[in-house]
Amino acid sequence: MADSTNVLALETPILPVLAQRRSPRAYSPQPVPPEALRQVFAAASSAASCFGEQPWRYLVGAQATSPEAFAGILASMGEFNQVWAKNAPVLGVSIAKLTFSHDGNPNAWARHDVGQATATLAIQATELGLQVHQMAGFSPDKLRAAFSIPADYEPVAVFTLGYPGDPASLPDGLREKELAPRTRKPLAEFLFEGAWPGLAEERYDQAPV
Ligand SMILES: Cc1cc2nc3c(=O)[nH]c(=O)nc-3n(C[C@H](O)[C@H](O)[C@H](O)COP(=O)(O)O)c2cc1C
């Protein structure tokens, strides 16, 4: 069932699944069925990538089936993320292969492509009633050591995956954040047709007269 909590409301309508995707901190303990996990990562594999390299790799730890990996990923996170991420049924790491396989040269687009794959994964997850919360608050070195990640590969982000839970289960502070209205920059702040406008001019153009 689609997550109806804190759906993003934009002036311009977008696909419902995009508006429903959010980064929750409250998770239900309900395990993620293996078939749903497969679908989520199959969705990641559908993303476009430079030279078709598919530089993304994912490390997954599920509380129910791979608790040691779960603990290893959790331990790499900052305390501020651990406090809520520990209740998610599944933790993951997105990893970029930093060189092209066809010639060994550096792949400057590897992280871009990993981000695309993870965005696609998150949308598929939302469609299945799951949610993903990506995090930069982790130590790549801890992950590298815990999972013997080779030098040519770089942990990009960690994330939680699971069915959203009751915001009331969160500690003070996080509970309010969970339900705080979600906002986005207006298109005029990031969409420049024809030329790169100075921000000041842009604001002037937008000012009420
Ligand atoms: C690369 C990346 C790193 C993030 N790092 C963290 C983090 O360390 N801790 C956290 O609570 N949220 C983190 N977030 C979640 C963002 O705060 C969240 O996506 C943003 O506020 C928009 O909210 P929404 O995803 O619900 O639309 C991160 C998101 C991304 C994409």
Side-chain angles (χ1 to χ4, degrees), residues 21-23 25 80-81 84 133-137 157 182 184:
R21 185 217 57 79
R22 65 187 179 100
S23 302
R25 293 186 174 85
F80 59 102
N81 283 327
W84 56 268
H133 191 142
Q134 302 174 56
M135 288 161 267
R182 299 170 63 217
R184 288 302 190 259

Coordinates of all heavy atoms in Angstrom, one line a residue, residues 21-23 25 80-81 84 133-137 157 182 184, ligand 1:
R21 N 7.4 9.4 -2.4 CA 8.8 9.0 -2.0 C 9.2 10.0 -0.9 O 9.1 11.2 -1.1 CB 9.8 9.0 -3.1 CG 11.2 8.5 -2.7 CD 12.3 9.2 -3.4 NE 12.3 10.6 -3.2 CZ 12.7 11.3 -2.1 NH1 13.2 10.6 -1.0 NH2 12.7 12.6 -2.0
R22 N 9.7 9.6 0.2 CA 10.2 10.5 1.2 C 11.3 9.7 2.0 O 11.5 8.5 1.8 CB 9.1 11.0 2.1 CG 8.5 9.8 2.9 CD 7.2 10.3 3.7 NE 6.7 9.2 4.5 CZ 6.9 8.9 5.7 NH1 7.6 9.7 6.5 NH2 6.4 7.8 6.3
S23 N 12.0 10.4 2.9 CA 13.0 9.8 3.6 C 12.6 9.7 5.1 O 12.9 10.5 5.9 CB 14.3 10.7 3.5 OG 14.7 10.8 2.2
R25 N 12.3 8.3 9.1 CA 13.1 7.8 10.1 C 12.4 6.7 11.0 O 13.0 6.0 11.7 CB 13.6 8.9 11.0 CG 14.6 9.9 10.3 CD 15.2 10.9 11.2 NE 16.2 11.7 10.5 CZ 15.9 12.8 9.8 NH1 14.6 13.2 9.7 NH2 16.9 13.5 9.2
F80 N 24.0 10.2 15.1 CA 22.7 10.8 14.8 C 21.9 10.0 13.8 O 20.6 10.2 13.8 CB 23.0 12.3 14.3 CG 23.8 12.3 13.1 CD1 23.2 12.6 11.9 CD2 25.2 12.2 13.2 CE1 24.0 12.6 10.7 CE2 26.0 12.3 12.0 CZ 25.4 12.5 10.8
N81 N 22.5 9.2 13.0 CA 21.8 8.4 12.1 C 21.5 7.0 12.7 O 20.4 6.4 12.5 CB 22.6 8.2 10.8 CG 22.4 9.4 9.9 OD1 21.4 10.1 9.9 ND2 23.5 9.7 9.2
W84 N 18.1 6.2 14.8 CA 16.8 5.8 14.2 C 17.0 4.6 13.2 O 16.1 3.8 13.0 CB 16.1 7.0 13.6 CG 16.9 7.7 12.5 CD1 17.7 8.8 12.8 CD2 17.1 7.4 11.2 NE1 18.4 9.2 11.6 CE2 18.0 8.4 10.6 CE3 16.5 6.5 10.3 CZ2 18.3 8.4 9.3 CZ3 16.9 6.5 9.0 CH2 17.8 7.4 8.5
H133 N 15.8 5.8 3.0 CA 16.4 7.0 3.5 C 17.9 7.0 3.3 O 18.6 6.2 3.9 CB 16.0 7.2 5.0 CG 16.3 8.6 5.5 ND1 15.5 9.2 6.4 CD2 17.4 9.4 5.3 CE1 16.0 10.4 6.7 NE2 17.2 10.5 6.1
Q134 N 18.3 7.8 2.3 CA 19.8 7.8 2.1 C 20.5 8.7 3.1 O 20.0 9.7 3.6 CB 20.0 8.4 0.7 CG 19.3 7.6 -0.4 CD 19.4 8.3 -1.8 OE1 20.5 8.5 -2.2 NE2 18.3 8.6 -2.4
M135 N 21.8 8.3 3.3 CA 22.6 9.1 4.3 C 24.0 9.3 3.8 O 24.6 8.4 3.3 CB 22.6 8.3 5.6 CG 21.4 8.3 6.4 SD 21.4 7.0 7.6 CE 20.6 5.7 6.7
A136 N 24.5 10.5 4.1 CA 25.9 10.8 3.9 C 26.7 10.7 5.2 O 27.9 10.7 5.3 CB 26.1 12.2 3.3
G137 N 25.9 10.6 6.3 CA 26.5 10.6 7.7 C 27.0 9.2 8.0 O 26.4 8.5 8.8
A157 N 27.0 6.2 -0.4 CA 26.0 6.6 0.6 C 25.5 5.3 1.3 O 25.7 4.2 0.8 CB 24.8 7.3 -0.1
R182 N 7.2 19.2 3.8 CA 8.3 19.1 2.8 C 8.1 20.2 1.8 O 7.1 20.3 1.2 CB 8.2 17.7 2.2 CG 8.4 16.6 3.3 CD 8.1 15.2 2.7 NE 9.0 14.9 1.7 CZ 8.7 14.2 0.6 NH1 7.4 13.8 0.4 NH2 9.6 13.9 -0.3
R184 N 10.1 22.5 -1.6 CA 11.1 22.4 -2.6 C 11.3 23.8 -3.2 O 10.4 24.6 -3.2 CB 10.6 21.5 -3.8 CG 10.7 20.0 -3.4 CD 12.1 19.5 -3.0 NE 12.2 18.1 -2.9 CZ 12.3 17.4 -1.7 NH1 12.1 18.1 -0.6 NH2 12.5 16.1 -1.7
Ligands
LIG1 C1 23.2 11.9 -0.5 C2 22.3 12.1 0.7 C3 22.7 12.2 1.9 C4 21.9 12.4 3.0 N1 22.4 12.3 4.3 C5 21.5 12.2 5.4 C6 22.0 11.9 6.7 O1 23.2 11.6 6.9 N2 21.1 11.8 7.7 C7 19.7 12.1 7.5 O2 18.9 12.0 8.4 N3 19.2 12.3 6.2 C8 20.1 12.4 5.2 N4 19.6 12.6 3.9 C9 18.2 12.8 3.6 C10 17.8 14.2 3.2 O3 17.9 15.0 4.4 C11 16.4 14.2 2.6 O4 16.5 13.5 1.4 C12 16.0 15.6 2.3 O5 15.8 16.4 3.5 C13 14.7 15.7 1.5 O6 13.7 14.9 2.2 P1 12.9 13.8 1.4 O7 13.9 12.8 0.9 O8 11.9 13.2 2.4 O9 12.1 14.4 0.3 C14 20.5 12.5 2.8 C15 20.0 12.4 1.5 C16 20.8 12.2 0.4 C17 20.3 12.1 -1.0

